[in-house]
Amino acid sequence: MTEAAELPPAPEQAREVFGHRYADAVRYAELLAEAGVQRGLIGPREVPRLWERHLLNCAVLSEVVPEGVTVCDVGSGAGLPGIPLALVREDLKITLLEPLLRRTNFLTEVVELLGLDHVTVVRGRAEEVMGKLPPVHVVTARAVAPLDRLATWGIPLLRPYGEMLALKGDTAEEELKSATTALSKLGAVQTSILHVGEGVVDPMSTVVRVEVGESPGGVRFAAKRAKAARTGRARRRR
């Protein structure tokens, strides 16, 4: 049996980034290193680089999230980037959307333990909850799927003129280029690649921003969203 890797001390940047929630960030890192590994949510090899590669890498996404908006973290997994974002930004209302029960159980435990009253955990797939969850201003995602496929799940959850922020690595430009046609059909009106976390993470985190117009998801998803809304109203009248 392989000996569990040891979680390194939090770097100095963590105190600055997480502020008064620093102790909660440390507790979250400990939960990922212990229960997260035991339950197969993250690999044991990730433990030594939890702070730089995961918590801080995700927390700096806050630099490009507008104030006071609603956020849906699609395929939240072990809570990345949703929970670091929630620790940094208490002005946001965040939904952690995840289909697997063992992951939503972990997320619920973390949210309750850390007292994240502005965070809700929802079990389900993006295509299943469309029309059931209120449309959001911002969709976030990290390591979920290639951009073209991710967009088909995330963009329909947006409200008009919302945006999807996808944390990507070296493949960001290539993925964006190959997804151009798909994004256009989904109602995207502008795309850009941003680099955040200067002085906090090295290399900086790469974010693909996809901004939509008045019809997130395009015509096809507008019809599907309207149908889901009608079904929801009919159920409430019963």
Side-chain angles (χ1 to χ4, degrees), residues 74-96:
V74 173
S76 196
L80 302 164
I83 289 178
L85 183 61
L87 289 169
V88 174
R89 296 284 301 278
E90 295 181 62
D91 60 301
L92 306 174
K93 291 186 72 69
I94 300 176
T95 298
L96 306 179

Side-chain angles (χ1 to χ4, degrees), residues 91-166:
D91 60 301
L92 306 174
K93 291 186 72 69
I94 300 176
T95 298
L96 306 179
L97 181 62
E98 169 56 47
L100 295 185
L101 180 60
R102 63 187 171 89
R103 292 177 180 170
T104 54
N105 285 342
F106 175 78
L107 292 173
T108 300
E109 291 166 18
V110 171
V111 166
E112 290 177 356
L113 183 65
L114 302 185
L116 299 173
D117 298 332
H118 57 305
V119 178
T120 303
V121 178
V122 174
R123 185 184 175 200
R125 299 182 184 279
E127 57 269 33
E128 297 169 347
V129 302
M130 189 180 65
K132 299 176 184 177
L133 291 180
V136 296
H137 297 90
V138 177
V139 162
T140 59
R142 177 180 186 256
V144 173
L147 188 61
D148 54 352
R149 200 181 336 149
L150 173 63
T152 64
W153 301 333
I155 288 180
L157 299 177
L158 290 169
R159 57 188 291 167
Y161 307 104
E163 59 186 304
M164 183 175 74
L165 299 172

Side-chain angles (χ1 to χ4, degrees), residues 19-222:
H20 76 281
R21 284 283 196 171
Y22 169 74
D24 291 324
V26 171
R27 186 69 188 113
Y28 176 50
E30 292 170 348
L31 289 166
L32 286 174
E34 297 162 8
V37 172
Q38 292 164 8
R39 300 186 195 183
L41 304 182
I42 67 164
R45 292 184 180 179
E46 296 303 310
V47 173
R49 50 187 184 178
L50 267 178
W51 283 105
E52 287 82 0
R53 186 181 174 90
H54 299 286
L55 273 75
L56 290 172
N57 179 275
C58 291
V60 295
L61 182 63
S62 65
E63 294 177 16
V64 290
V65 178
E67 288 187 19
V69 298
T70 52
V71 178
C72 183
D73 189 32
V74 173
S76 196
L80 302 164
I83 289 178
L85 183 61
L87 289 169
V88 174
R89 296 284 301 278
E90 295 181 62
D91 60 301
L92 306 174
K93 291 186 72 69
I94 300 176
T95 298
L96 306 179
L97 181 62
E98 169 56 47
L100 295 185
L101 180 60
R102 63 187 171 89
R103 292 177 180 170
T104 54
N105 285 342
F106 175 78
L107 292 173
T108 300
E109 291 166 18
V110 171
V111 166
E112 290 177 356
L113 183 65
L114 302 185
L116 299 173
D117 298 332
H118 57 305
V119 178
T120 303
V121 178
V122 174
R123 185 184 175 200
R125 299 182 184 279
E127 57 269 33
E128 297 169 347
V129 302
M130 189 180 65
K132 299 176 184 177
L133 291 180
V136 296
H137 297 90
V138 177
V139 162
T140 59
R142 177 180 186 256
V144 173
L147 188 61
D148 54 352
R149 200 181 336 149
L150 173 63
T152 64
W153 301 333
I155 288 180
L157 299 177
L158 290 169
R159 57 188 291 167
Y161 307 104
E163 59 186 304
M164 183 175 74
L165 299 172
L167 278 162
K168 290 287 182 179
D170 298 336
T171 62
E173 284 192 35
E174 183 182 331
E175 285 191 46
L176 184 53
K177 186 176 180 180
S178 63
T180 300
T181 301
L183 292 174
S184 180
K185 288 179 179 178
L186 288 166
V189 295
Q190 188 168 333
T191 61
S192 52
I193 294 177
L194 313 172
H195 298 283
V196 295
E198 184 175 6
V200 178
V201 288
D202 186 18
M204 290 191 291
S205 300
T206 302
V207 181
V208 176
R209 172 187 270 162
V210 179
E211 299 171 71
V212 300
E214 62 182 16
S215 299
V219 176
R220 174 186 161 204
F221 285 98

